[in-house]
Amino acid sequence: MNPSHPPFAGPVQRVRPVRLSRRQLNYLRLRRRADVALALGGLVVAAIPMALVALGVLVTMGRPVLFAQERMTQSGRIFTLWKFRSMRDPGPRSARDDAERLVPFGRFIRATSLDELPSLWNIVRGDMGLIGPRPLPTYYLGRFSAEQFARHTVPAGLTGHAQVHGRNEVEWDRRMSIDQEYVQQIGPVLDLQILRDTVGVVLRRRGVDFVEAPGESTDFPGPQATSLLELDGPADDGAWQCRDREDRVLLGGTVQLLGGGMVLIGALALGAELLGGGVLLEEALLLLVSRVRSRERARWMGIAPEVELTPALREALERNGFVPPGPVSVFPTHESAPTLMGGRPPVLIAYVERPQQGFPPPRPLLSMWSEPGTSATPVPGLQ
């Protein structure tokens, strides 16, 4: 890391753009005109329903009426998404108590998708289209595998392929795969099918609620597998292995869940294929962090002091958000990094929970390509 800058615990997003055909690029340009016309018409037609929803939000939840959040669209560009508010302010409660914050009127406007009506203005502005992968929060940056981030090759959408194939009932990895399929197959026939199916999904109110298992989170945890890699574990004893599709062990080790949401990596062993480092090693470590985040609700992840780190392994860990703990390290939280028993600090440590409000997303992206709708050389620093 550059010693002149404080290390920030935020992973660099790996990018593997999908190159759209000329026909697909021309279609996206034509579709943009239709999106603007339909969104403007929708705002006119929905003016009275929007006023009624705004009044309902004001009466049941108070101000503000609208909910604004930074989201990602084409090429990783960040924009502010607008929706009607459906939850009370968290107040002193934990931010994880979303189910308790969701009021009956909020459930209603979510189930009927009325909360999405202000997003029509985002379509007019060019932030997103009517159809495309759903825009996700910026704090997910660095959690995507390179394959998954390819969903940002096209503009985000108000509805999309994943929304008509289960919506929130579908596991994250499958949702990402559906989005990748959409990017590869994008065209007028598929978009018309999605519009048709969206009507049925909204009327039947399918997939609105995500039923989470105890200890799990509705947040995107990161990939649980990739087309090249599969992670086994962690088992009850903390052992885990990352294998390729030829069943070769590329990376392995042990983890231990400590108090305070701290997960300690107690051993790391590299296969011969990863001794030199590279993107595959970074993806293997990303799988480990994603799996732990998904299963353990971990907040911190650290490397035990006795673990020997080769330069390639240290670099890969740092690119996955691990930094040397200390007063100059910047974490997306107001909390201090935990130390081990006896006051020994981990060699490297990362904050793997949801960033707190007021902290910037890790390494925010402005554009992967030189201009919207084209496929060119990625921005330097991304892999």
Side-chain angles (χ1 to χ4, degrees):
M1 286 193 171
N2 189 339
S4 64
H5 298 285
F8 182 79
V12 174
Q13 179 62 59
R14 288 153 287 272
V15 175
R16 189 178 303 160
V18 173
R19 298 195 177 276
L20 302 178
S21 68
R22 185 178 297 275
R23 178 179 296 181
Q24 289 173 318
L25 292 172
N26 289 335
Y27 167 67
L28 284 175
R29 282 190 281 268
L30 290 173
R31 195 187 72 173
R32 168 67 189 145
R33 301 173 187 172
D35 283 344
V36 173
L38 291 172
L40 285 172
L43 287 171
V44 173
V45 172
I48 294 179
M50 288 175 68
L52 294 175
V53 172
L55 180 62
V57 172
L58 188 62
V59 169
T60 58
M61 287 168 276
R63 298 179 184 274
V65 170
L66 294 179
F67 167 77
Q69 187 181 52
E70 287 192 336
R71 299 286 182 100
M72 291 176 284
T73 185
Q74 186 178 26
S75 303
R77 183 170 63 85
I78 296 172
F79 72 99
T80 300
L81 177 75
W82 295 94
K83 299 171 67 174
F84 280 119
R85 209 169 130 225
S86 59
M87 293 191 293
R88 293 192 184 96
D89 289 330
R93 295 182 178 182
S94 168
R96 291 173 180 165
D97 296 332
D98 287 354
E100 296 181 19
R101 294 170 52 204
L102 193 60
V103 301
F105 185 74
R107 289 186 183 277
F108 169 72
I109 62 175
R110 277 195 181 189
T112 55
S113 296
L114 291 171
D115 64 322
E116 306 273 4
L117 289 176
S119 300
L120 290 172
W121 179 243
N122 287 115
I123 296 176
V124 174
R125 284 173 46 88
D127 298 325
M128 51 195 286
L130 278 174
I131 304 168
R134 285 290 292 171
L136 296 177
T138 54
Y139 57 79
Y140 290 162
L141 274 172
R143 297 188 183 183
F144 300 94
S145 69
E147 297 166 327
Q148 291 174 336
F149 199 76
R151 71 193 298 278
H152 298 99
T153 304
V154 300
L158 192 61
T159 184
H161 207 27
Q163 276 58 54
V164 299
H165 283 83
R167 212 168 174 179
N168 292 330
E169 294 175 350
V170 180
E171 293 181 352
W172 276 107
D173 269 14
R174 179 57 186 148
R175 267 189 261 179
M176 293 294 172
S177 296
I178 294 173
D179 285 338
Q180 293 167 53
E181 293 169 7
Y182 173 76
V183 170
Q184 294 165 352
Q185 302 170 13
I186 188 170
V189 174
L190 179 57
D191 280 354
L192 287 174
Q193 291 174 347
I194 292 172
L195 280 178
R196 178 200 64 195
D197 295 341
T198 297
V199 176
V201 168
V202 172
L203 291 177
R204 292 193 299 270
R205 304 185 184 182
R206 284 182 50 210
V208 176
D209 295 320
F210 181 96
V211 180
E212 56 180 316
E216 290 188 354
S217 171
T218 56
D219 275 347
F220 170 55
Q224 303 301 295
T226 71
S227 61
L228 299 177
L229 302 174
E230 182 77 37
L231 193 133
D232 298 327
D236 292 340
D237 62 357
W240 58 272
Q241 288 184 335
C242 188
R243 302 173 180 270
D244 63 13
R245 295 304 175 181
E246 297 179 8
D247 207 33
R248 295 177 298 185
V249 178
L250 302 182
L251 187 65
T254 61
V255 295
Q256 180 184 6
L257 181 62
L258 306 179
M262 172 71 171
V263 172
L264 187 67
I265 299 178
L268 278 173
L270 275 69
E273 294 82 359
L274 297 187
L275 289 177
V279 173
L280 201 60
L281 175 57
E282 294 174 19
E283 293 274 311
L285 291 169
L286 174 63
L287 284 184
L288 175 62
V289 174
S290 300
R291 184 68 58 86
V292 169
R293 183 188 290 119
S294 174
R295 291 187 179 181
E296 306 295 346
R297 292 296 287 266
R299 298 176 65 79
W300 300 91
M301 220 169 163
I303 311 296
E306 59 270 17
V307 175
E308 295 186 11
L309 298 178
T310 65
L313 185 54
R314 176 179 285 270
E315 180 180 354
L317 284 163
E318 289 180 347
R319 289 181 67 83
N320 274 280
F322 289 78
V323 300
V328 297
S329 302
V330 180
F331 296 100
T333 171
H334 296 292
E335 303 172 9
S336 299
T339 58
L340 306 180
M341 293 181 63
R344 295 183 305 156
V347 179
L348 297 174
I349 194 168
Y351 184 75
V352 296
E353 245 288 5
R354 175 173 175 165
Q356 295 185 5
Q357 186 175 6
F359 286 89
R363 296 293 294 271
L365 306 178
L366 297 179
S367 177
M368 288 195 305
W369 296 284
S370 55
E371 58 184 55
T374 64
S375 184
T377 305
V379 170
L382 300 177
Q383 291 188 353

